[in-house]
Amino acid sequence: MKTKLESLPLFLKEISRDYKYMLPLIFALAIFQGLSPLVNIILPKYILDELLYMRRVNRLLIYIGGIALGNFVFQLATSICRNHLNVNMYILELDAVKKLAIKATNISLENSEKKSNLDLLERGKEGTYNIITFVETISNMAASLITLVMVTGILIKNDWRLVFLILLCNMFTIPCFNRIRFLDIDNAKRGIPENRAFRYLCSVATDFRFAKDLRLYKGDKFFIKKAEEIMDKILIINHEYFTKHGFWNGLTQSIVQIQITITFIILGLSLLATRITAGTFTMLYAASNQLGRSFNSLIQGYTDLITLSVYLDPYYEFLNIEEIEKEGEVPNNFLIKPASIAFEDVTFRYPTAKEDILKNINFKVYPGETLAIVGKNGAGKTTIVKLLCRLYRPQKGRIFINGIDILSLPIEEYKKQLSIVFQDFKLLPIKLNENILGKEERFITEKETEMIWSKLEETGVKSWVEGQPKGIKSYLTKILDDNGLLPSGGQEQKIAITRALARDGSIVILDEPTAALDPKSEEEIFENMLKLTEEKTSIFISHRLSSTRIADRIIVLDKGEIAEVGTHEELMEQNGLYANMYNTQAKQYVD
Ligand code: ADP
C-alpha cells in the first residue's frame, strides 16, 4: 500500500472547483490564527520594560489596551472564519459520502467484485470520515507556517543563537516524529482487515433482514462471538501501537524540555550581562518557545496528512476508477420493436472465478419470440441474463440486439430497452409508485398513475394495493415510514414484475422472478406475461418446466454449454436432458 500524499493535490483541486469559499476561508483563518500569538509575544515586552524602567502610565495603558484589543480582534476574526469553515467542512463531508455512493451505484458489477476495488471502497469510506480532519490539518499547518516565519524574524533580529538551538533540537525531534508517523500509518493499515470484518459482523447482526435466520439458527451467538474475537485482535494491535506511540511522544517532549532549559540559560546570561532588558527576555523566551511549537506543529501536521492519506488516497482512487462507457445517441434500427437478440460465440468467466462459466454460447431470439432458458442450478442461466444486461462483459464473443453489438451502445439508452425482473430483485424502501417508475412522486403524471394501476391489474396485485389506505402512494417497508406496507414474497414479486412491465422496453427478461409463488400463480403470471409481451421479445428463466413449456422455444443449458434447443414437444421427443428433467418434475407433482 503506497502512501504518497496523492490526495492533497486532488483535494485542493476539488475544493477550489466545488467550494469557492473554502480556500479563502482556510487562508484567512491561517492568517488570523498565525498572527494572534504575536500579540502576546511582542506587547508584554513593552509593558514589562515600561513597568521596570520608564514607568510612563499613558504608554502602559496603550500597551495593555493593545493586548486586550489585539486578542479580542484576532479571537473574533478567528471564530468567524472557523464557524464559516465548519459549515463548509460539514457540507464537504456529506458531499464526499454522496460522491462515494454515486460512484458505487455507477461502477460496473465487474469492477465492484474485484477485491482491490472493495478494499478501496472500504478505506474510501474511512476517508470520508477523515476529510474534516484533513481540512483542519491543512489550515493549522498554514497558521503554524505564518507564526514560524514571524517569530523566526524576531529571533534572528535579536539573538540568532536561539534559532540555531531550535533547529538543532528539531534535528532530534524530527526522527521521533517520523517514527510516530510510521507507527500511525502502520496502525491504520494493520487494522483495516480486522476493522472491516468487525463492522461487517456487527452490521449483519443489526440488519433485520437477517433477524429470522440469526435467531433460529443460533447465528446471533456465533456472530457476536466472532465479532468479540476480532475485537480482541484489534485491541492487541491498538495496545502495541499506543505503547510505542507513548514512548516516542515522551522522548519528543523531553527534547523540547531540554531546548526550553537551554533557551532559559542563554537568555538569563544575556539579562545578567545587561545585553537585553527584562522585556526582551520575556519576548525572546516566548518567541523561541513559540518557534519550537510551530516547528513541531508543522511536522506533526505533515505526519497527520500522510496518515490521513492512507484513507483519502483510496477515496480519490475509488472515485477515479475508470469505466469505459460509450455516450451519445443509439442508432435508429436498435429501437425497432420487437427486437432480435443474438449471442455469438460468447465465453465468460467471473472476475474472481477460476474457470469459464459460459463456453462458446450461440443462440438467437427472433423478434417477438419467447425463449425459455432452462437447466440445473449453476448451469449459467442467470449469467446469460447478466451479460445481456451488460452487468459484465464477455471475454470472448459478442451479443447483438437488432444486429448491433450491445457494447457499442450508450449504456443508459441501452438499459431503457430492457424490462427485467431478477431472481434476487430488490424493491426500495420508497413509495410504491416511485418504485415502479423510478422517479419521485412529484414528477409522476396522472397518465403515468393510470398506467401503474393498469399494470398492477395485469400482474394481479391491484386489489391488494387498492385495499391499502394510501394505495400506490404507500411506502414499501417500514424503514422510512411507520405505516409502510410489508408485502408478502409473492406480492413483492408481482410488484417487481409490474415495475419491469411499466418500463415498456423492447425486451422482457424474467429470471426466476416467480420463485416465491406457488406453481398455479407462477403459471398464471407466465401466461399473463405472454399476453402482455406479445409485441416484445422475451426471455424467461424458471426451474419449473411446467411454466416454461409455454415458451416458443426452449434452450437447455448444461454446465455453461447449450445442450438442447427446440420447442417443448420437440425436446420431449428427443428424450434427452429436458425430457428427463420435465418427467422428474411432473412425477413430483403427481406424487
Ligand atoms: P443459474 O442461473 O443457472 O443457476 P448462474 O448463472 O447464477 O447459474 O451461475 C453459474 C455459475 O457461476 C455458478 O457456479 C455460480 O456459483 C457462479 N457465479 C455466479 N455469480 C458469480 C460471481 N459473481 N462470481 C463468481 N462466480 C459466480
Side-chain angles (χ1 to χ4, degrees):
M1 211 184 298
K2 293 171 287 178
T3 308
K4 291 194 299 196
L5 208 52
E6 283 161 353
S7 40
L8 186 60
L10 292 170
F11 171 78
L12 291 176
K13 200 170 135 199
E14 184 188 7
I15 58 169
S16 54
R17 186 191 58 216
D18 299 342
Y19 308 88
K20 60 178 185 233
Y21 298 118
M22 185 84 91
L23 274 183
L25 275 171
I26 293 177
F27 190 65
L29 181 63
I31 289 184
F32 294 127
Q33 243 184 337
L35 293 183
S36 75
L38 297 181
V39 176
N40 298 315
I41 290 175
I42 298 170
L43 287 180
K45 163 191 153 61
Y46 293 101
I47 295 176
L48 203 62
D49 284 346
E50 281 299 332
L51 279 173
L52 290 177
Y53 312 113
M54 281 85 99
R55 296 176 160 265
R56 290 169 295 189
V57 177
N58 55 344
R59 286 285 176 103
L60 207 55
L61 287 177
I62 291 174
Y63 295 139
I64 292 172
I67 284 201
L69 189 69
N71 278 328
F72 174 75
V73 170
F74 278 122
Q75 285 304 324
L76 186 69
T78 305
S79 294
I80 292 173
C81 288
R82 183 166 289 288
N83 283 349
H84 285 288
L85 189 63
N86 280 347
V87 173
N88 273 272
M89 287 194 301
Y90 185 61
I91 296 170
L92 176 75
E93 186 187 1
L94 295 183
D95 257 353
V97 175
K98 192 175 87 185
K99 282 182 185 165
L100 213 57
I102 292 175
K103 182 73 189 181
T105 52
N106 287 340
I107 196 170
S108 67
L109 277 193
E110 208 156 349
N111 267 332
S112 78
E113 280 177 16
K114 289 183 189 149
K115 193 180 166 300
S116 55
N117 287 344
L118 286 175
D119 268 349
L120 280 184
L121 176 61
E122 195 55 39
R123 286 190 287 137
K125 277 190 209 159
E126 293 279 345
T128 60
Y129 307 139
N130 285 307
I131 213 153
I132 290 187
T133 324
F134 199 72
V135 180
E136 282 171 342
T137 309
I138 292 174
S139 145
N140 288 340
M141 281 177 78
S144 298
L145 189 67
I146 292 172
T147 315
L148 185 131
V149 171
M150 301 308 286
V151 289
T152 306
I154 295 175
L155 288 174
I156 286 181
K157 194 160 167 262
N158 288 279
D159 193 339
W160 61 268
R161 289 174 304 169
L162 295 171
V163 179
F164 176 74
L165 170 70
I166 291 158
L167 287 179
L168 189 72
C169 287
N170 271 290
M171 280 176 63
F172 294 101
T173 51
I174 287 175
C176 297
F177 275 119
N178 262 336
R179 208 57 230 165
I180 293 173
R181 187 189 71 158
F182 172 78
L183 285 172
D184 283 347
I185 296 172
D186 184 55
N187 186 52
K189 286 178 188 167
R190 274 173 65 196
I192 287 168
E194 276 76 16
N195 279 319
R196 190 166 78 183
F198 181 74
R199 277 175 207 210
Y200 172 73
L201 290 173
C202 291
S203 73
V204 169
T206 52
D207 186 339
F208 291 113
R209 281 174 303 171
F210 294 95
K212 286 198 289 310
D213 298 72
L214 284 178
R215 278 160 186 70
L216 286 171
Y217 294 103
K218 297 263 177 237
D220 44 352
K221 306 272 175 331
F222 168 81
F223 260 69
I224 300 299
K225 194 160 178 309
K226 268 249 167 269
E228 279 171 354
E229 277 169 19
I230 293 171
M231 210 167 122
D232 286 344
K233 275 194 202 160
I234 295 175
L235 286 182
I236 291 172
I237 293 174
N238 277 345
H239 184 261
E240 241 179 70
Y241 163 72
F242 282 118
T243 312
K244 290 183 183 163
H245 196 276
F247 171 77
W248 289 105
N249 217 3
L251 192 61
T252 316
Q253 290 312 318
S254 309
I255 297 171
V256 171
Q257 290 312 315
I258 292 172
Q259 174 212 308
I260 292 175
T261 312
I262 299 176
T263 309
F264 217 65
I265 293 170
I266 294 176
L267 288 176
L269 289 174
S270 295
L271 185 65
L272 277 180
T274 62
R275 279 197 297 274
I276 56 170
T277 63
T280 310
F281 176 95
T282 52
M283 179 178 77
L284 296 183
Y285 179 65
S288 52
N289 277 355
Q290 184 60 53
L291 180 61
R293 272 202 300 275
S294 300
F295 218 95
N296 285 348
S297 134
L298 264 183
I299 298 167
Q300 180 68 50
Y302 176 71
T303 307
D304 289 348
L305 279 192
I306 300 258
T307 314
L308 290 168
S309 299
V310 173
Y311 299 110
L312 271 173
D313 288 354
Y315 166 74
Y316 284 106
E317 214 178 310
F318 185 79
L319 289 188
N320 290 329
I321 291 175
E322 263 191 58
E323 298 284 351
I324 322 146
E325 289 300 355
K326 297 242 173 349
E327 301 214 341
E329 302 278 310
V330 289
N332 280 341
N333 53 336
F334 168 66
L335 298 173
I336 296 172
K337 292 184 188 181
S340 68
I341 306 171
F343 271 59
E344 270 185 16
D345 238 358
V346 171
T347 296
F348 174 71
R349 173 184 298 204
Y350 282 102
T352 50
K354 294 208 164 51
E355 51 189 59
D356 293 342
I357 297 294
L358 295 177
K359 298 154 206 155
N360 300 316
I361 297 289
N362 283 291
F363 69 87
K364 280 201 173 95
V365 195
Y366 300 103
E369 192 184 27
T370 301
L371 180 85
I373 305 179
V374 304
K376 292 184 189 150
N377 277 343
K381 305 181 291 293
T382 300
T383 308
I384 289 192
V385 172
K386 286 184 190 162
L387 291 182
L388 185 58
C389 298
R390 282 181 56 180
L391 296 177
Y392 297 90
R393 290 161 186 259
Q395 278 85 16
K396 204 177 120 229
R398 298 203 289 171
I399 303 167
F400 298 93
I401 304 263
N402 285 345
I404 301 165
D405 185 338
I406 60 169
L407 291 181
S408 70
L409 297 162
I411 184 87
E412 287 308 320
E413 290 304 311
Y414 177 66
K415 280 196 276 188
K416 281 186 196 159
Q417 295 307 318
L418 306 176
S419 297
I420 319 161
V421 187
F422 279 112
Q423 202 171 356
D424 54 352
F425 66 86
K426 296 271 181 295
L427 294 173
L428 304 172
I430 51 178
K431 292 181 180 174
L432 189 76
N433 50 358
E434 294 178 329
N435 251 300
I436 290 178
L437 291 188
K439 61 176 166 183
E440 275 181 80
E441 189 175 89
R442 60 200 169 110
F443 298 121
I444 298 177
T445 62
E446 249 174 58
K447 212 165 150 221
E448 285 172 324
T449 304
E450 270 171 38
M451 185 270 287
I452 296 177
W453 281 116
S454 87
K455 299 285 176 203
L456 287 171
E457 188 167 17
E458 286 164 5
T459 49
V461 264
K462 186 178 173 198
S463 55
W464 177 72
V465 178
E466 268 175 340
Q468 306 303 329
K470 291 189 184 159
I472 52 169
K473 295 188 174 180
S474 317
Y475 273 91
L476 288 185
T477 80
K478 298 192 183 292
I479 295 177
L480 296 180
D481 180 14
D482 282 344
N483 300 319
L485 306 181
L486 292 174
S488 69
Q491 283 158 341
E492 269 198 332
Q493 282 185 319
K494 288 176 178 173
I495 296 170
I497 295 171
T498 315
R499 178 173 67 176
L501 288 179
R503 178 173 267 206
D504 199 28
S506 61
I507 294 170
V508 177
I509 304 166
L510 298 188
D511 179 8
E512 299 222 43
T514 47
L517 301 179
D518 54 85
K520 185 91 194 70
S521 307
E522 170 170 329
E523 223 168 286
E524 262 171 40
I525 287 227
F526 271 115
E527 269 169 22
N528 250 340
M529 290 297 289
L530 268 189
K531 276 188 234 140
L532 301 173
T533 59
E534 260 167 10
E535 296 295 297
K536 297 178 182 185
T537 309
S538 328
I539 297 184
F540 290 179
I541 297 180
S542 170
H543 66 283
R544 289 201 194 106
L545 303 190
S546 56
S547 305
T548 49
R549 77 182 167 174
I550 53 176
D552 298 324
R553 227 156 27 102
I554 298 167
I555 284 183
V556 186
L557 212 59
D558 188 26
K559 299 188 188 108
E561 285 173 289
I562 295 183
E564 294 168 16
V565 186
T567 60
H568 170 74
E569 288 71 26
E570 285 165 359
L571 293 180
M572 288 306 284
E573 217 162 275
Q574 276 184 27
N575 207 13
L577 189 60
Y578 179 82
N580 191 349
M581 281 162 51
Y582 187 85
N583 289 333
T584 314
Q585 283 192 5
K587 187 168 175 297
Q588 277 169 3
Y589 285 117
V590 172
D591 286 348

